[in-house]
Amino acid sequence: MNQTSLISDPDTSRETCQELLVLARHLDRFGRDTEQFLVRQLEQLERAVKEFESEKAAWRRQLRRESSQLDAQRAELERLRADANPRNPACGEPDALRNDKTALAASSAARKSGTAPIRLLLQPGTATPMQIGLLLFEFSKLNRDTGGRGIRFHVADIREPRRRFLTRPTDVPVADRILELTGLSTQPLVARGSHVDLDVDTTERIEQWIRFKTLLLQSSLVNEQLASGFRKSTPVADGDDSRDTIREATRRMEDAGFQEFDESGYSSAGLLARTAQNLVRQQMERLESCCERLREDTGLRIHVELHTADIMRLSPG
């Protein structure tokens, strides 16, 4: 009876409501203070992360700049040594020194090209789309072995030998045409948008891309005679057959890449940290032997060089 009278007492109910209202206000104030504190802490953390990323990027730029200066100084030192120790021209230059100079020149040229794609001149001869696709697959596999994610190719130009003066016009065989292919990395080499600046650091990707191009420049795939023939050739207006051949070869290359991924269970790039350096050398030798075999069997000729154009401008679609 007493409890019922207390509950029904208006003064007691009013005091209880006021106490609950005061408690709710305290909780609300505490919640707002906690929220403001967390927001300030998150803002400080975000500023600290941005400063760290900016400082890391500055250190990486300084490292690349000092590496370039070191390469230039090394080249100058080699030149001074060569001038200070003249050799008998009849004896020629030692193979070791010549290889070192070639490697240094290739590395310097690849580093200057940066994120630019590779340029591939291909004279298919009688090679089938399957054979060309397997050859392109070997290029893509070499890129994956050096840490990339493969290459995608597209036709940039098609040319045929120039007709001699005062000769009867004849159709040039498709086998004699020279195709210019542009090979771009499937792995983005440039961060896109400010929202990914803190999530993506492309420095390591660019270094791997430069290493891949350096290997190609040091290989036997450089054919200056084919490059000279391409410069002297004339563009082809009706090159649909050649484009279809490369399109089919690219499809077969991608199918071969997917098949390799399914059989292994993981990509070659995932094995890079647990494999020896000779894996890349073996793949380079495999690529060179594949080109040599196709040259003997089908007359296929190939030339690899650097591309100085902007990679974003050449990206299709």
Side-chain angles (χ1 to χ4, degrees):
M1 184 68 179
N2 295 331
Q3 293 179 354
T4 306
S5 61
L6 289 174
I7 295 175
S8 59
D9 189 359
D11 296 335
T12 306
S13 300
R14 188 178 301 106
E15 292 177 358
T16 304
C17 292
Q18 290 178 354
E19 292 177 357
L20 292 176
L21 182 60
V22 171
L23 179 61
R25 289 174 179 173
H26 283 299
L27 290 176
D28 182 62
R29 187 181 302 109
F30 176 77
R32 289 198 302 270
D33 294 341
T34 304
E35 181 181 2
Q36 293 176 0
F37 173 77
L38 293 176
V39 168
R40 288 195 297 270
Q41 293 297 321
L42 290 176
E43 289 177 352
Q44 292 178 2
L45 179 61
E46 184 178 0
R47 286 195 298 269
V49 171
K50 289 182 178 179
E51 292 175 358
F52 173 77
E53 292 293 336
S54 178
E55 185 177 357
K56 185 175 69 172
W59 277 105
R60 290 185 180 276
R61 288 193 298 269
Q62 183 178 357
L63 176 61
R64 291 195 297 269
R65 183 167 56 252
E66 292 180 354
S67 299
S68 301
Q69 294 176 357
L70 183 60
D71 292 339
Q73 292 175 1
R74 188 180 295 111
E76 181 66 18
L77 180 60
E78 293 293 339
R79 187 185 65 81
L80 293 176
R81 287 178 178 176
D83 295 340
N85 300 305
R87 299 178 180 84
N88 186 2
C91 297
E93 193 175 32
D95 293 338
L97 182 58
R98 183 165 56 250
N99 294 336
D100 291 343
K101 287 186 176 181
T102 302
L104 182 61
S107 177
S108 177
R111 187 167 296 278
K112 289 180 180 179
S113 67
T115 59
I118 62 171
R119 183 169 179 258
L120 191 68
L121 299 182
L122 179 68
Q123 191 171 33
T126 58
T128 63
M130 177 179 291
Q131 292 173 322
I132 298 176
L134 291 177
L135 177 61
L136 298 181
F137 168 75
E138 297 299 337
F139 276 96
S140 186
K141 187 175 186 302
L142 177 64
N143 177 258
R144 292 197 299 272
D145 289 341
T146 54
R149 293 295 184 272
I151 307 176
R152 69 177 184 272
F153 294 92
H154 72 274
V155 180
D157 193 8
I158 303 175
R159 297 189 181 185
E160 61 184 11
R162 191 186 304 273
R163 297 187 180 91
R164 295 183 178 179
F165 185 65
L166 296 179
T167 57
R168 185 175 58 183
T170 57
D171 294 333
V172 178
V174 178
D176 294 338
R177 290 180 176 178
I178 303 176
L179 287 72
E180 179 187 7
L181 306 182
T182 301
L184 300 111
S185 172
T186 57
Q187 194 174 28
L189 301 178
V190 179
R192 300 173 181 175
S194 59
H195 63 286
V196 297
D197 286 346
L198 300 180
D199 299 331
V200 178
D201 187 357
T202 59
T203 303
E204 185 176 0
R205 298 180 182 181
I206 296 174
E207 293 295 333
Q208 293 168 348
W209 181 247
I210 290 174
R211 182 190 176 202
F212 167 70
K213 294 191 291 186
T214 302
L215 290 173
L216 292 180
L217 292 181
Q218 297 178 30
S219 67
S220 60
L221 305 181
V222 178
N223 189 341
E224 295 295 342
Q225 183 178 2
L226 183 61
S228 176
F230 180 82
R231 289 191 294 267
K232 297 177 182 178
S233 302
T234 57
V236 177
D238 54 343
D240 293 338
D241 293 341
S242 300
R243 296 181 185 274
D244 292 341
T245 300
I246 297 301
R247 190 177 297 111
E248 177 66 17
T250 303
R251 186 187 66 81
R252 294 179 181 272
M253 175 197 70
E254 294 175 352
D255 292 342
F258 289 135
Q259 182 178 2
E260 183 199 30
F261 182 84
D262 294 337
E263 291 177 354
S264 62
Y266 38 78
S267 64
S268 300
L271 287 172
L272 186 63
R274 302 189 295 272
T275 54
Q277 188 70 18
N278 58 4
L279 176 65
V280 177
R281 184 174 64 254
Q282 291 175 359
Q283 177 59 27
M284 189 71 249
E285 294 175 354
R286 177 182 173 87
L287 175 60
E288 290 178 332
S289 62
C290 181
C291 292
E292 181 65 21
R293 182 63 181 271
L294 288 177
R295 186 186 65 81
E296 295 176 356
D297 295 345
T298 65
L300 181 143
R301 295 198 303 165
I302 195 169
H303 169 69
V304 178
E305 64 183 13
L306 298 175
H307 213 311
T308 57
D310 187 5
I311 188 171
M312 301 304 296
R313 186 177 63 84
L314 288 172
S315 299

